[in-house]
Amino acid sequence: MFIIADNQVSFDGFNFYHGSSKDATDCFHFSDEARTLTIKNSMLYLWRYCIYKEWDGMSRTGLNRCTFENVKFSSCIGGVFMNQETVGGNEMYYCTANYFDNCTFEYCHFGAYFISNSNFAMVEFNRCNFYKIGWGKYDKTIYDKFGCFGIRFNCGYNRSQSSHVIIRGCYFEDIVPYRIGDRFDENDEIRMGKIIYPANDKYYSCIISENNSYIVDGCSFTNCPKYFSGDKYCSWDIRENRIFGYNIKIPTQWSNKKLLHVFKANRQVKYENLKSTIYYSNILGSNNVILNGLVDFDVHEDRNMYRVLNCFEESFMDFPSLYLK
């Protein structure tokens, strides 16, 4: 609908409706540097991507100084997709000072996905809602390309981790990739009754991180079997969150028994500093939260890169609580 090249654009009180998410039409498509886009009190409904930033092969800037306030991203493949990958990661591509406040991502295959081979600086999600992501919409082709998640950041190829993302006061509910049907791929999918799930859950979680640092503070998770996933180059600060149960049967093959799943990294970053994972004053709000530990690792040796400070409400055998009993 809008093809924007390096201009300041502001919208307040608009409804942008396309009618289909199956063609290649985006609501806002940035072909050049994307700076100071402001959208307030608006709804973006039934597009491929509501906000899409492609890489033109030359510009060094991604989404910068953009503000989204009280915006609903609904019924699309993805609400926000910033895409930039280069062979060898030689181009710098910054994503700086972007703010999402009181926004809703609903009925999408994924919520917000940022890819950069440089870094992210001060990207914030405050009081946002992620609702029914992947819920009944699982499509194998789309899932194999993107995964299923509320928020995902993929940062840097040959850079040390220097990024910072804050997720504060957000609500995640019904983040589960599935569809109803009979036909399924026996090699890559799992059927439980009429429900079809992907067999590979590596890129399914509420929040996914690659070579990035997160602060997740004061969020709630309801009916979400998987919470946090990332590679070994991530640092996490997970505090004051509420973890509630889920009421849907899921495949036993999924890695959902720990709060954080550290999967095998797709690349080797030359800087391998020790990473920290901090759990502070989180609460399990339901008996049907099936958690028997805080962190699991696809590669056992990756444990050596992590220093875990556990002040979680519950005691777990992998990283016992530091609370005095």
Side-chain angles (χ1 to χ4, degrees), residues 1-7 9 11 23-34 37 39 44 47-56 63 79 81 83:
M1 184 174 182
F2 297 96
I3 299 178
I4 302 172
D6 197 20
N7 289 311
V9 183
F11 297 89
D23 58 20
T25 306
D26 309 315
C27 190
F28 290 89
H29 186 121
F30 289 92
S31 59
D32 201 339
E33 297 184 1
L37 170 67
I39 304 178
L44 288 63
W47 302 86
R48 182 182 67 161
Y49 313 120
C50 296
I51 309 293
Y52 179 51
K53 173 64 181 77
E54 65 175 343
W55 186 56
D56 62 2
L63 290 177
F81 183 30
N83 180 29

Side-chain angles (χ1 to χ4, degrees), residues 21 44-50 72-80 104-112 129-139 142 147-150 173-178:
S21 62
L44 288 63
Y45 179 63
L46 271 175
W47 302 86
R48 182 182 67 161
Y49 313 120
C50 296
K72 181 177 286 188
F73 305 90
S74 182
S75 304
C76 49
I77 291 178
V80 178
T104 297
F105 299 81
E106 63 178 15
Y107 303 108
C108 302
H109 294 273
F110 65 86
N129 299 289
F130 297 85
Y131 178 66
K132 292 194 181 299
I133 305 297
W135 188 267
K137 296 175 68 69
Y138 161 66
D139 178 277
I142 296 174
C148 176
F149 46 85
E173 181 177 350
D174 295 343
I175 315 294
V176 187
Y178 82 90

Side-chain angles (χ1 to χ4, degrees), residues 164-168 213-217 235-239:
H164 200 56
V165 176
I166 297 176
I167 303 169
R168 181 175 288 117
S213 64
Y214 275 109
I215 296 174
V216 185
D217 184 7
S235 293
W236 298 82
D237 187 339
I238 301 170
R239 59 180 59 229

Side-chain angles (χ1 to χ4, degrees), residues 255-258 260-263 294-298 318:
S255 304
N256 70 308
K257 302 302 187 296
K258 314 283 186 178
L260 169 63
H261 175 64
V262 179
F263 52 71
L294 292 177
V295 190
D296 68 348
F297 300 86
D298 281 350
D318 56 347

Side-chain angles (χ1 to χ4, degrees), residues 167-197:
I167 303 169
R168 181 175 288 117
C170 293
Y171 181 72
F172 297 80
E173 181 177 350
D174 295 343
I175 315 294
V176 187
Y178 82 90
R179 72 172 187 272
I180 304 297
D182 293 312
R183 295 184 179 182
F184 74 108
D185 186 333
E186 295 183 357
N187 296 317
D188 296 316
E189 297 178 326
I190 298 171
R191 186 175 69 182
M192 300 177 65
K194 291 285 187 179
I195 303 179
I196 311 298
Y197 298 97

